Amino acid sequence: MSISRITTTDTVDNWVEIATNTTTATTRTFSSIPTTYRKLMLRWHTIVPNTNTVDLYIYFNASKTANAYYSAGSNTYIEVDTSTVDTNSYLGYLVIDSAKTNSIKEFNGFHSYTVTGTQRELHGIYAATAAITEISFEMTSGTTSGTLVLYGTL
């Protein structure tokens, strides 16, 4: 009896840094993202809001259109956090699959409060077919400081 060996040519995700944003603002945006990337990943750490009422959202291509997003909590953006907490530091990431194709985009990720340890899964579908060329990270009130990094894989 012999054993067959199966070989694969799986695609490896070689992530490259596209841009970093360390400004303090209500809305922080990565714009003019090249459409050559197969996947995009937004990573955040040491994000600190300056207010106790935190409503934190992510949206694509300046779109807060009804029924554009299918995820927990909202259909007009990706709801990252809607808690009333002290000014904790946050960390997390969001991966957007099929970022360059003309099809709906699946996203998934993770968000955590580093002080309390509370965690939240982020997952859903962005129903627009256009390539993602802009990603915004927004609070409804106050500002955030900290680091946002955008990565892409070809």
Side-chain angles (χ1 to χ4, degrees), residues 14-125:
N14 292 316
W15 294 99
V16 295
E17 184 174 327
I18 300 169
T20 299
N21 183 318
T22 58
T23 61
T24 297
T26 299
T27 302
R28 298 161 69 181
T29 300
F30 293 99
S31 59
S32 302
I33 300 169
T35 60
T36 54
Y37 295 104
R38 188 172 46 85
K39 294 181 184 180
L40 297 170
M41 177 172 47
L42 178 64
R43 184 177 58 88
W44 54 94
H45 62 87
T46 59
I47 296 295
V48 181
N50 72 346
T51 178
N52 288 347
T53 304
V54 177
D55 291 333
L56 185 60
Y57 309 108
I58 296 173
Y59 53 94
F60 308 130
N61 296 344
S63 174
K64 293 189 213 175
T65 306
N67 299 318
Y69 302 87
Y70 295 90
S71 64
S74 175
N75 68 1
T76 55
Y77 41 73
I78 301 166
E79 189 176 276
V80 177
D81 179 30
T82 59
S83 301
T84 302
V85 296
D86 293 333
T87 52
N88 291 324
S89 175
Y90 300 133
L91 60 90
Y93 69 91
L94 184 72
V95 175
I96 305 106
D97 289 325
S98 303
K100 79 171 191 172
T101 63
N102 289 329
S103 63
I104 62 174
K105 284 94 177 121
E106 181 180 348
F107 58 85
N108 60 66
F110 180 80
H111 174 71
S112 176
Y113 313 107
T114 56
V115 174
T116 64
T118 303
Q119 302 165 355
R120 183 175 190 175
E121 258 186 78
L122 306 172
H123 54 86
I125 294 172

Side-chain angles (χ1 to χ4, degrees), residues 135-150:
I135 300 175
S136 296
F137 192 86
E138 177 180 276
M139 288 184 59
T140 54
S141 64
T143 61
T144 61
S145 60
T147 302
L148 297 173
V149 184
L150 180 64

